[in-house]
């Protein structure tokens, strides 16, 4: 059985029994098509950009949006252009713009007070906090992951999750207790061993896990993120690089899995010998920022076994993949792992940062993983509304249907324009295709935008699709049509 | 002229011309006094704690609050106890609870949409974002600090500010450009020099700058924050330790300044020789978590000169001191620095994390300091309401008046109970006094709570006061009365 079959599954088989309701919309009042009346960015965006640039580094700003007029899958900019948004604020808008249920969440006086009275959640949580966490984050926890830490964003979720893995690793070395020696207590205050130990996190080339200094030491997708910033001496393994189309390269790709897994073990042993043992392994289920690089379920299964063998924590970073875009709430659920990962981090579509843990990864004494806010109740009340809509509107199956429209449409375009695009890959609507080169990729993204489609790049040559969960098959067809126009016009 | 005069200034001089309106309140409908009807935490808090503890490490939770009933300076817990709050969610509630102007900010449809449509601010900011930043954060920027980066919390503000200092340091080494070599671009991807350089941040013993791995390497207040977590090999200097009362120890304290400043220079030179040069110095204007340790304006002035001499960035961490509690918007304004610091970080009372920079510390190319959200517009609309109230109600002068009530009351109590408390120190209402030992400190905090006052500890023996900016002289008198009872009952 080919291990990557799910990534490569043919779109057709899903259409046989699924009647698509192309006319219906999950967001009443949504625009019916993109409308572009100025170049994007237009004159108003450019004027605002000049203003913002007087006090910020704003070279990354693409346009200024009108969030009063944006709705559903359509982002409206200040120049009045109506853009079909398949990028959704770097994959962070599960219900698109101005979803009525999210707005409704802010109508109640109680929720308004929750926004205004932001507590130090680790010290003075609100009366309804345990129930709110149970009804939201815990209700969609991966199987057998019984513990939860809330945070603010993806970077600090990973950073703190590393700490949980370091603490667990050291606690195991102490025989399961946290009886610190006086020497440990004193030496850690000046960053010296034994209190501040040499311990490492193994990460993969092409990965993105955030930009704070610990997270950045495990990020290896683009030099602009890293250059000039000090880092930890931690091991970096090769992430499998497959040949596409997958079904024509089974053997090579299988060998690639084996090579990469062997390297992981070599690195763990090497760092152990260096006196800097690996306390945890972090990996994305799909390397997103790095180019939507997929690995086989087999690879993830074996990696879990290796982590277990060396008593390293197994952390799956679902910051970009979590919350439904792959058709399951958590992408790693596609992998049939023997047991759940030890830690799963999230942010973006979940509104709040945070992570699930197996309970043995919780610190056994308080204040070790802690900060002033420990998350934000405002985000939980929005998440509450979002999860209710995901359930009510069966959005995970919408994702699957729309994903098939996109995958099948992109494969058709690959056949029509083989010199221009290739290597379509994805799960659900979490999809990327490659352009023939970096220049063409940038050109495709730019010309899609002029036709009213907001997409994004990833890796060197990838065009990244990250639509909302309310992105329906008709939006998928509209996207494919626009892309076909762009490719047909390519000289 | 004694350099610490401002810290030690006698309360009396401020009372001569200031008529206190003891009866008025800045928060209509506020409770008039604490009411305690159960032990704190009470049975309902304990029950909720048991529930939360099934899936979180909740050993730090003190009580569960009823944020629907809390108002102004009074925190109401789930057992109905009404507590005068001089701790305010670890110093993060500038207007106390349920301030009407903050609630009003959530009434407008436009602001509700801002909460719901959270943008990737570095890519698709809203039309009103430049103006909003100008009217809020930029309107209270320290003098001559023309640039701003928004973030999410204090830790990530410091982490990213370090990156700005590293980038500036390396850019200067390149002669002011960011023309990276191919070798730099490639080596940084695997955390190796020259792209990943050895560079350090100098911090001070007793400091607290956050808990993510970079920030934690500069945090040295309590072992529980640090133990088992790897850190960078960065220099740590002694923060001045003064003898109190200050006016009786002028010479010793002055010598202490000189000793500590000399050590900073020694460490910078030592780390330069080690090939790990100091790119930045971080310091709190008052070491808060570490015990409310003050240093003289002279010390901060000289430290700035040293930073300049070695081309290290001078970062003042105002996460806890910023936003008004010292009677000025920024605590470092008390220091008469030659020019503004290079970077000032903030969070807590400012609702949003972030930092001000001198514009030469902005990266000259985009995406180097960047993340998905880059802050949160929800917090800016709350900050907008907060800043308007600070101005309307002249809250910085309220802080000064209430601070004098507290300082003068605490000094009276020091005289009444010299064996129990000492070393009262502070600016505005940012005040701490020391108990004779750690056990007594914990006991004072605990018994204050049973009398209806929520305070907090800091350092080993400090009791930390962090009231809201709407904490008025009558609240100060109420606090002093309760503390007098606690001290009188001490056996």
């Amino acid at each position: 059985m080919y291990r990557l079959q799910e990534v490569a599954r043919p779109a057709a088989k899903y259409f046989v029994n699924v009647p698509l309701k192309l006319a219906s919309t999950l967001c009443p009042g949504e625009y019916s098509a993109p409308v572009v009346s100025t170049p994007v960015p237009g004159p108003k965006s450019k004027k605002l950009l000049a203003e913002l640039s007087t006090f910020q580094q704003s070279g990354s700003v693409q346009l200024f949006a009108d969030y009063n007029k944006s709705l559903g899958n359509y982002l409206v900019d200040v120049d009045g252009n109506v853009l079909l948004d398949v990028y959704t604020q770097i994959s962070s808008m599960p219900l698109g713009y101005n979803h009525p249920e999210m707005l409704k969440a802010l109508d109640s006086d109680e929720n308004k007070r929750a926004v205004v009275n932001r507590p130090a959640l680790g010290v003075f949580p609100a009366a309804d906090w345990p129930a709110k966490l149970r009804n939201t984050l815990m209700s969609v926890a991966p199987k057998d992951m019984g513990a939860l830490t809330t945070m603010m964003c993806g970077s600090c979720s990973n950073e703190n999750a590393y700490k949980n893995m370091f603490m667990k690793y050291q606690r195991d070395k102490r025989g399961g207790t946290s009886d610190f020696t006086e020497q440990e207590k004193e030496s850690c205050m000046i960053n010296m061993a034994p209190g501040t130990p040499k311990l490492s996190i193994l990460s993969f080339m092409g990965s993105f896990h955030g930009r704070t200094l610990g997270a950045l030491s495990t990020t290896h997708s683009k030099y602009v993120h890293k250059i000039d910033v000090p880092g930890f001496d931690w091991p970096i393994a090769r992430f499998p690089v497959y040949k596409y189309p997958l079904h024509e390269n089974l053997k090579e790709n299988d060998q690639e899995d084996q090579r990469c897994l062997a390297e992981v073990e070599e690195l763990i042993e090497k760092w152990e010998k260096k006196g800097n043992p690996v306390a945890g392994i972090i990996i994305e289920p799909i390397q997103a920022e790095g180019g939507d690089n997929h690995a086989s379920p087999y690879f993830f299964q074996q990696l879990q076994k290796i982590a277990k063998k060396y008593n390293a924590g197994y952390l799956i970073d679902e910051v970009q993949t979590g919350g439904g875009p792959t058709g399951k709430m958590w992408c790693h659920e596609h992998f049939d792992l023997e047991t759940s990962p030890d830690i799963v981090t999230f942010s973006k579509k979940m509104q709040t940062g945070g992570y699930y843990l197996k309970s043995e990864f919780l610190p056994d004494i308080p204040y070790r993983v802690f900060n002033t806010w420990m998350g934000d109740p405002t985000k939980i009340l929005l998440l509450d509304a979002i999860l209710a809509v995901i359930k009510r509107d069966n959005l995970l199956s919408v994702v699957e249907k729309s994903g098939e429209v996109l995958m099948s449409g992109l494969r058709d375009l690959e056949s029509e324009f083989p010199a221009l695009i290739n290597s379509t890959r994805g799960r659900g609507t979490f999809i990327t295709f490659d352009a023939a080169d970096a220049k063409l990729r940038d050109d495709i993204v730019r010309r899609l935008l002029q036709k009213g489609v907001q997409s994004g790049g990833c890796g060197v040559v990838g065009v990244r699709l990250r639509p909302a969960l309310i992105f329906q098959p008709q939006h998928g067809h509209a996207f494919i049509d626009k892309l076909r126009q762009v490719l047909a016009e390519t000289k």
Side-chain angles (χ1 to χ4, degrees), chain A:
Chain A
M1 192 183 92
Y2 185 59
R3 290 162 182 154
L4 267 172
Q5 60 171 335
E6 287 193 75
V7 177
R9 68 191 168 195
K13 88 175 206 204
Y14 283 85
F15 280 95
V16 179
N17 300 312
V18 180
L20 295 177
K21 296 186 215 147
L22 292 185
S24 76
T25 174
L26 290 167
C27 188
E30 195 187 47
Y31 303 86
S32 58
V35 182
V36 180
S37 51
T38 77
V40 187
K44 288 184 186 164
S45 271
K46 284 184 178 165
K47 195 168 163 229
L48 286 164
L49 182 58
E51 189 189 341
L52 190 62
S53 298
T54 60
F55 60 96
Q56 293 201 322
Q57 166 50 266
S58 306
S60 54
V61 169
Q62 294 189 19
L63 55 80
F64 284 78
D66 185 336
Y67 292 108
N68 290 304
K69 293 188 184 144
S70 300
L71 189 63
N73 292 283
Y74 287 88
L75 175 68
V76 178
D77 76 6
V78 287
D79 291 283
N81 301 300
V82 179
L83 309 170
L84 177 64
D85 191 357
V86 298
Y87 192 47
T88 59
Q89 311 294 328
I90 322 181
S91 198
S92 65
M93 303 290 289
L95 304 186
Y97 300 99
N98 284 307
H99 195 284
E101 294 300 320
M102 289 178 75
L103 287 166
K104 208 190 283 177
L106 295 173
D107 281 342
S108 87
D109 285 345
E110 187 160 351
N111 281 352
K112 275 184 210 167
R113 287 192 285 260
V115 176
V116 160
N117 299 301
R118 183 179 191 180
L121 286 166
V123 194
F124 308 105
D128 60 357
W129 187 238
K132 266 189 177 163
L133 290 180
R134 272 201 193 286
N135 294 339
T136 56
L137 290 169
M138 291 308 287
S139 78
V140 292
K143 208 178 143 198
D144 298 328
M145 297 195 77
L148 170 71
T149 300
T150 50
M151 281 284 155
M152 307 271 293
C153 69
S155 287
C156 70
S157 299
N158 283 331
E159 291 263 348
N160 280 283
Y162 296 172
K163 289 168 57 176
N164 286 78
M165 295 196 291
F166 295 136
M167 291 168 189
K168 162 74 160 53
Y169 191 88
Q170 293 296 87
R171 193 175 63 203
D172 287 349
K173 271 180 58 181
R174 289 188 190 96
T177 74
S178 293
D179 287 336
F180 311 124
T181 65
E182 285 309 308
Q183 199 196 357
E184 284 175 321
K185 290 182 194 173
E186 282 164 23
S187 59
C188 77
M189 297 296 280
I190 50 170
N191 298 7
M192 303 283 280
T196 302
K198 278 211 184 296
L199 290 176
S200 59
I201 301 289
L202 183 142
S203 57
F204 288 86
M205 278 311 292
S207 60
F208 184 93
H209 301 295
R211 294 162 170 269
T212 45
L213 270 61
L216 192 64
S217 289
T218 57
T219 285
H220 317 281
S221 51
K222 287 174 193 151
Y223 77 82
V224 73
H225 306 152
K226 290 178 69 75
I227 205 161
D228 294 345
V229 182
F232 287 103
D233 173 30
W234 291 352
I236 308 154
R238 236 161 65 88
F239 190 86
V241 177
Y242 296 141
K243 285 190 184 152
Y244 284 78
L246 295 170
H247 60 277
E248 291 174 15
N249 298 281
L250 300 182
K251 199 175 156 199
E252 292 90 327
N253 293 338
D254 186 53
Q255 285 170 346
E256 174 70 356
D257 276 350
Q258 300 300 348
R259 268 194 304 270
C260 291
L261 290 163
E263 196 195 21
V264 169
E265 292 213 58
E266 281 160 28
L267 287 169
I268 291 177
E269 285 169 12
K270 190 172 164 190
W271 254 255
E272 172 78 36
K273 274 185 204 132
K274 281 171 69 165
N276 192 0
V278 172
I281 296 174
I282 183 167
I283 191 163
E284 296 157 275
I286 301 169
Q287 286 191 334
E289 173 72 17
D292 272 22
N293 307 317
H294 290 254
S296 66
Y298 174 81
F299 180 80
F300 286 97
Q301 292 158 12
Q302 295 305 308
L303 191 61
Q304 182 170 44
K305 287 188 173 58
I306 293 172
K308 204 171 175 183
K309 175 176 168 187
Y310 292 96
N311 197 32
Y314 188 42
L315 191 173
I316 296 202
D317 175 343
E318 296 249 21
V319 167
Q320 189 150 166
T321 48
T326 70
K328 294 185 187 283
M329 189 50 88
W330 305 105
C331 183
H332 75 266
E333 294 170 12
H334 290 281
F335 298 157
D336 291 322
L337 297 176
E338 204 167 49
T339 67
S340 280
D342 296 315
I343 302 185
V344 171
T345 52
F346 54 79
S347 188
K348 289 185 179 268
K349 283 194 173 59
M350 303 303 286
Q351 312 292 295
T352 175
Y355 47 104
Y356 300 105
L357 315 83
K358 287 193 174 151
S359 53
E360 62 262 34
F361 279 82
L362 277 180
D364 53 357
I365 51 176
Y367 288 110
R368 299 189 74 187
V369 171
F370 181 88
N371 58 50
T372 298
W373 284 319
M374 294 294 290
D376 183 353
T378 304
K379 307 308 173 195
I380 298 295
L381 66 89
L382 295 174
L383 180 62
D384 199 11
I386 289 164
L387 293 177
V389 172
I390 289 177
K391 204 171 163 184
R392 181 193 76 186
D393 293 347
N394 202 3
L395 292 185
L396 295 189
S397 82
V398 172
V399 165
E400 200 149 286
K401 288 175 201 164
S402 302
E404 297 303 341
V405 169
L406 288 169
M407 288 291 274
S408 130
L410 286 167
R411 291 211 171 106
D412 290 348
L413 292 176
E414 279 189 26
S415 306
E416 286 177 56
F417 305 97
L420 300 183
I421 66 166
N422 60 74
S423 305
T424 296
R425 56 206 179 271
R427 293 185 184 278
T429 56
F430 198 103
I431 294 172
T432 281
F433 60 94
D434 285 349
D437 59 45
K439 189 167 160 289
L440 177 61
R441 189 274 305 271
D442 293 348
D443 196 47
I444 289 173
V445 170
R446 192 185 54 74
R447 287 190 292 133
L448 275 172
L449 185 57
Q450 306 312 316
K451 290 195 187 296
V453 175
Q454 177 70 55
S455 63
C458 69
V460 180
V461 293
V463 177
R464 162 160 61 165
L465 307 188
R466 296 290 182 270
L469 308 181
I470 58 162
F471 183 90
Q472 294 175 267
Q474 66 267 31
H475 303 108
H477 290 296
F479 169 77
I480 295 293
D481 287 349
K482 294 287 182 189
L483 179 59
R484 178 173 280 112
Q485 289 173 35
V486 163
L487 295 174
E489 289 163 18
T490 300
K491 279 150 201 162

